[in-house]
Every structure is written in C-alpha cells, then in structure tokens.
Amino acid sequence: MKITVVGAGAVGATTADNLVRRNIAEEIILLDIKEGFAEGKAQDMMQTSALLGFDSKIKGVTNDYLSTAGSEVAVITSGIPRKPGMTREELIGTNANIVKTVVDNLIKHSPDIIILIVSNPMDTMTYLALKSSGLPKNRIIGMGGALDSARFKYQLSDKLNASANDLNAIVIGGHGDTTMIPLIKHATWNSVAVTDFLNEDEQADIVKKTMVGGATLTALIGTSAWYAPGAAAAAMVESIVKDQNRLFTASVYLEGEYGQEDINIGVPVIINKKGWDKIVPMKLSAEEEELFKASADAVRKMNQVLFDEGVLKK
Ligand SMILES: NC(=O)C1=CN([C@@H]2O[C@H](COP(=O)(O)OP(=O)(O)OC[C@H]3O[C@@H](n4cnc5c(N)ncnc54)[C@H](O)[C@@H]3O)[C@@H](O)[C@H]2O)C=CC1
Ligand SMILES: O=C([O-])CC(=O)C(=O)O
C-alpha cells in the first residue's frame, strides 16, 4: 500500500505525520515543489519512528512523480493558504493551475488512484480535478465537511461541557465562511437532541462560530490551520485504505442528489475502498434546503471562474 501526499507544507506534513503514526501503509511519499523541503520533513518524521513505534516508511521527494507510481490514494494539499482577512475563494487564481497540474502528474503514474483534494477553494478544486482528469466520480473526494463537522463538535462540546466523542453533528454545503451549513437541528448528544439544552441564541452562536472556524484560526495564527485539517484528511484516507465505510460529509459530484447537479459540494457519504461510495440521503427542513440551494449557487459561481479563465473548457 502506497499513499502520496502532495504539498509538504503545514497541512500536507501534518496529514503525512498522522498517516505514518497510524501504520496503515508500507510507504508514504511526500512530494513538494520546493527543493529538499519534503525530503527534510520526511526525514524528521522518520526519526520519530523509534520513539512512536511505527513501521511505515515515509519518503520525501522534490517534484518526482515517478516515485509516486502505484499509489492507491493521494492527498493534494499543494497551493497557497489564505492570510488574515482573505476568503478561501481568493486563492483560486493561484491554486487552480497547481491542482490541475498535480492531478495530471499523479494519474500518469497511478491510473487507479483515489484523490482527496484539500487545496482551497476546495469544492471548486475538487470539481476541477474531476472535470480535468476524467476519472470516475467516486475516485475524487473533497475534504472539508469532515473538518467542519469536527469543528462543529468542538463548539458544541465547549458549550455543553460534553465530550466531543459523544456528539453526533455534521456540516453540509460548501467549505466556505458563508456557504457551510452546520445542521444543528439534527445534532445529538448520544441520541438526545442538542437543541434540548441550547436556546435559539446559543444555537445561532455555535453555528456562526463553526462557519468562521477557519477564518478565526487564520486571524490568530497569521496563516490557515493545519492540525485539525491534517487529522481530518488522515481519517478519510484511513477509511479508504481499511475499507471502513465511515460516514463523512465530503465534497462529491452530485447528479440530482440533494436537488443539485454538475457540482461538487459537501453531503454525507460513505467512504471506503471505492473512494466515496454512496451518498446518504437526509431529510432536510425547508429552511435547510434553502440554505443548501444558496450554498450550491455560490459554489457554482466559483466553478464558473474556471471556465471564464480557460482552466476548464465547456
Ligand atoms: N479543505 C480544507 O479543509 C483545508 C484546506 N486548506 C488548504 O490547503 C492548502 C495548503 O495549506 P498549507 O499546507 O497551510 O500551505 P503551505 O504553504 O504550508 O503548504 C503548501 C505547500 O504546497 C507546495 N506547493 C506549491 N505548489 C506546488 C506544486 N505545484 N507541487 C507540489 N507542491 C507545491 C508549497 O511549496 C508548500 O510547501 C491551502 O490551499 C489551504 O487553503 C487548509 C486547511 C484546511
Ligand atoms: O481557513 C482556511 O483558509 C483553511 C481551511 O479551509 C480551514 O481551515 O477550514
């Protein structure tokens, strides 16, 4: 089993670190365009092996796609992160060409690969990866909802003084400050509705804090987050590699599901060795349906930029 992580920056290195500690692959290739950068990070991680007790090997390479040959899964984190005050959508100009080139290179050497897209704006980058590669839709997955749902559980656990592990709560929609939809009316604390414990103002506050979770961290750190993003990407890769059938919200290609088509956006899906397998239907309220439609409209507007800029042809 070989896994490739493209981009050895904050998120890529954290993803690789989480994966290597899980011991789920014989080999992890960490690839970056910056000379020596991935090699250095990989060597640093390998030097934790005697301390942490894993047997997986991690190898860093500089833009060498031959080393990635035969990878079963790749995680794409290459591209620029946002700075305080920016939106994820502002990254499209730089990141679209990077993601497109990386996907091309990966497929040349690993035609059966499953690709997890992390680079932002993630829903649009996932759509781009699918459309430019022509890969079957189930093998292109966008990571956003898994992270946003973990942040949602964090906010709930903080307010309820509960263990995040006892909470069931998901975020659907786009992975953007204004497009994500934390489904608070569906969230439970070990099967008891969280709304039984929170008034409307408290619920609205948790939803808001979840939606701007990434922006809040970017303002505090000066660049965007990596610990939870890396952990979320690794958890999804584990579900693929171990065929776990875990349910995550992820950005997948819709063909009529949730009332949308020709778009990648976050919905609940089963993740297993096929990539994303089934889309799980949910009964949404009229208000949630409206929010989902508005979210899809915003993501679609961003996808249009790919055509306007000639990155994708109609
Ligand atoms: N989907 C999500 O939930 C999340 C997405 N992100 C996104 O992930 C991306 C990476 O973020 P960070 O790791 O913090 O950035 P970073 O700047 O720390 O790392 C990015 C790395 O990509 C490399 N790179 C650039 N072009 C490349 C190419 N053509 N081939 C290979 N490597 C290349 C850079 O040299 C750099 O090392 C950003 O776009 C960020 O917005 C970050 C967190 C969560
Ligand atoms: O906030 C950002 O730009 C990075 C990201 O997607 C996240 O942490 O959710």
Side-chain angles (χ1 to χ4, degrees):
M1 164 66 62
K2 190 196 264 191
I3 299 170
T4 290
V5 178
V6 182
V11 180
T14 308
T15 303
D17 188 36
N18 273 278
L19 287 172
V20 82
R21 287 169 191 244
R22 281 170 198 234
N23 242 337
I24 55 172
E26 283 83 37
E27 194 178 19
I28 297 168
I29 303 294
L30 183 62
L31 181 149
D32 203 282
I33 201 165
K34 231 186 287 171
E35 189 74 42
F37 190 58
E39 286 85 337
K41 291 229 178 166
Q43 208 177 105
D44 191 9
M45 279 178 230
M46 278 309 294
Q47 290 169 3
T48 68
S49 150
L51 301 163
L52 300 172
F54 59 79
D55 304 305
S56 286
K57 299 269 179 289
I58 175 153
K59 180 181 161 196
V61 298
T62 303
N63 227 22
D64 169 21
Y65 282 89
L66 204 52
S67 295
T68 71
S71 294
E72 286 171 49
V73 186
V75 183
I76 300 185
T77 75
S78 46
I80 53 167
R82 64 172 156 170
K83 297 247 181 310
M86 288 173 77
T87 64
R88 296 175 180 88
E89 286 75 10
E90 287 173 68
L91 307 173
I92 191 171
T94 306
N95 288 354
N97 288 314
I98 293 176
V99 168
K100 191 176 176 201
T101 310
V102 167
V103 168
D104 277 0
N105 285 329
L106 285 170
I107 295 170
K108 266 185 216 143
H109 300 280
S110 307
D112 298 326
I113 202 161
I114 294 170
I115 299 180
L116 189 67
I117 305 283
V118 176
S119 311
N120 273 315
M122 182 278 296
D123 298 287
T124 297
M125 293 302 100
T126 306
Y127 181 79
L128 169 62
L130 179 71
K131 292 286 168 178
S132 69
S133 69
L135 283 186
K137 62 180 181 180
N138 298 71
R139 283 165 43 200
I140 303 277
I141 312 167
M143 192 292 286
L147 168 64
D148 301 332
S149 301
R151 286 182 175 150
F152 187 20
K153 288 180 192 172
Y154 163 76
Q155 293 298 345
L156 285 164
S157 72
D158 196 40
K159 187 73 197 170
L160 295 169
N161 196 19
S163 163
N165 296 310
D166 286 339
L167 295 165
N168 225 302
I170 63 167
V171 176
I172 62 168
H175 179 61
D177 297 341
T178 55
T179 57
M180 67 181 80
I181 309 161
L183 292 175
I184 197 151
K185 306 287 184 206
H186 297 255
T188 69
W189 184 0
N190 269 351
S191 303
V192 186
V194 299
T195 49
D196 288 358
F197 309 98
L198 302 165
N199 64 35
E200 288 291 335
D201 285 348
E202 290 169 327
Q203 290 175 39
D205 186 50
I206 287 167
V207 165
K208 185 72 211 155
K209 282 183 175 150
T210 302
M211 291 175 75
V212 296
T216 302
L217 295 175
T218 304
L220 289 168
I221 302 172
T223 184
S224 57
W226 57 88
Y227 292 114
M236 292 179 76
V237 171
E238 182 171 29
S239 193
I240 296 169
V241 169
K242 291 187 168 169
D243 198 24
Q244 284 176 321
N245 285 319
R246 289 195 64 193
L247 191 156
F248 290 100
T249 45
S251 189
V252 302
Y253 191 66
L254 301 186
E255 292 174 297
E257 300 91 343
Y258 285 84
Q260 295 295 328
E261 48 194 319
D262 193 33
I263 191 168
N264 278 78
I265 190 165
V267 292
V269 289
I270 301 299
I271 303 284
N272 61 26
K273 66 179 179 198
K274 294 184 192 155
W276 69 266
D277 194 355
K278 290 181 199 63
I279 293 175
V280 179
M282 266 183 98
K283 199 163 168 38
L284 300 180
S285 67
E287 188 190 350
E288 290 160 349
E289 270 181 8
E290 261 318 294
L291 288 171
F292 192 77
K293 189 179 169 306
S295 180
D297 287 347
V299 170
R300 199 169 273 111
K301 212 161 141 194
M302 201 35 53
N303 293 350
Q304 184 56 40
V305 175
L306 298 173
F307 295 104
D308 295 346
E309 297 298 320
V311 186
L312 276 181
K313 305 261 176 295
K314 270 276 181 217

